[in-house]
Amino acid sequence: MAILIIFGIYIFRALSGVLGSLIVALASVFLIFTESKSSIMLLPFALAVSVVFVRLRNTAAKLIVLICVPAIIGVLTIGSIQFAAVNALVNELMPDPTFTGRVEIWQFSLDHIAQHPIVGFGFQAFWGTSELVNSWTWRGSWGYRAPDAHNGYLNIAVMTGLVGLVLTLGWVLVRPFIDHVRTPPGRADPALNLMFIQTWLFGLYLSGFEAVLFTNGSVRVVWFMMVVSIFGLRLQARAK
């Protein structure tokens, strides 16, 4: 539904205000009734930040805006289980920053990343394996039966190690940023460019709570549209 809202905004700006407004209104109602806390909270951030990001002309300022929200999400979530001071601050702000008690699975992921930090356990060769499932007991961590790390960055790190994480960030974060700043003003269609940016940023933000990157799970639509947006930003930068 979040992606449909972004699409509705594009329709509103590029084709039809009435149709776009209808799509946004109906998709918003559906999103609210899904009770998807992460999408409901993060989508407004992505929409607001995208407008600021597009309008900025200074590259350094754009970079700061780009990394600010994912960094804050990382500190308030993963940081809260690693540092007591952050945990105390988060508990003052909200009772459950993970939204659905993801602390245990994140700690489980971090523990296993430490076992194979360089190259990980192998892409799609960790979650749901017989070794994990057979090791689970009712008193053990539910991480043994989890389908993923419920965090896109941790998920990549546990499967492909720090090497895979760096390469992934280079493709989903650094490369699209470079393509965006290298696109001359006026070359890209404003409405289409904003839709690419909104989808891309939303995917980066949602990866702090869901295993979006390279997924075939429940958020695969977000991943697919994120890839489309990355390709779109690349094509805009290369267009003559």
Side-chain angles (χ1 to χ4, degrees):
M1 287 300 109
I3 296 298
L4 195 56
I5 290 173
I6 294 174
F7 182 69
I9 294 173
Y10 168 74
I11 295 296
F12 177 89
R13 301 184 73 229
L15 299 175
S16 169
V18 174
L19 180 59
S21 299
L22 182 62
I23 292 174
V24 171
L26 294 177
S28 298
V29 171
F30 275 99
L31 179 61
I32 292 172
F33 277 98
T34 64
E35 298 183 353
S36 177
K37 295 180 181 179
S38 52
S39 294
I40 290 172
M41 188 192 79
L42 296 174
L43 180 60
F45 276 105
L47 298 180
V49 172
S50 65
V51 175
V52 176
F53 183 80
V54 169
R55 292 184 178 181
L56 287 173
R57 292 291 175 260
N58 184 275
T59 301
K62 280 180 177 287
L63 182 60
I64 292 173
V65 170
L66 173 63
I67 65 177
C68 183
V69 176
I72 292 174
I73 291 174
V75 169
L76 294 180
T77 54
I78 306 303
S80 68
I81 63 177
Q82 295 294 304
F83 306 103
V86 176
N87 182 267
L89 174 62
V90 169
N91 287 333
E92 290 292 328
L93 297 175
M94 59 187 77
D96 181 17
T98 73
F99 298 146
T100 53
R102 289 176 168 88
V103 169
E104 190 173 356
I105 185 62
W106 289 345
Q107 186 63 63
F108 179 85
S109 301
L110 289 170
D111 292 342
H112 283 78
I113 290 171
Q115 295 178 18
H116 296 280
I118 306 302
V119 296
F121 288 83
F123 185 70
Q124 302 292 7
F126 180 72
W127 302 103
T129 60
S130 58
E131 290 81 2
L132 284 182
V133 174
N134 293 336
S135 298
W136 183 78
T137 64
W138 288 107
R139 294 184 178 181
S141 170
W142 74 276
Y144 286 107
R145 295 181 65 85
D148 54 61
H150 288 280
N151 179 293
Y153 310 108
L154 286 182
N155 203 51
I156 292 296
V158 76
M159 292 190 299
T160 61
L162 298 180
V163 172
L165 179 61
V166 169
L167 292 174
T168 297
L169 291 176
W171 188 64
V172 304
L173 182 75
V174 179
R175 184 71 257 180
F177 175 75
I178 294 174
D179 289 334
H180 171 70
V181 297
R182 285 185 176 177
T183 302
R187 173 183 292 179
D189 176 79
L192 187 61
N193 181 59
L194 183 62
M195 185 182 74
F196 289 155
I197 297 296
Q198 289 172 339
T199 306
W200 173 49
L201 293 180
F202 177 68
L204 292 176
Y205 299 168
L206 189 63
S207 292
F209 297 96
E210 302 289 348
V212 174
L213 308 176
F214 301 99
T215 186
N216 58 359
S218 60
V219 290
R220 58 184 176 272
V221 173
V222 177
W223 170 239
F224 174 78
M225 292 305 300
M226 187 179 178
V227 171
V228 170
S229 298
I230 291 172
F231 286 165
L233 292 171
R234 180 64 171 168
L235 291 174
Q236 287 181 167
R238 295 174 63 88
K240 300 297 184 181

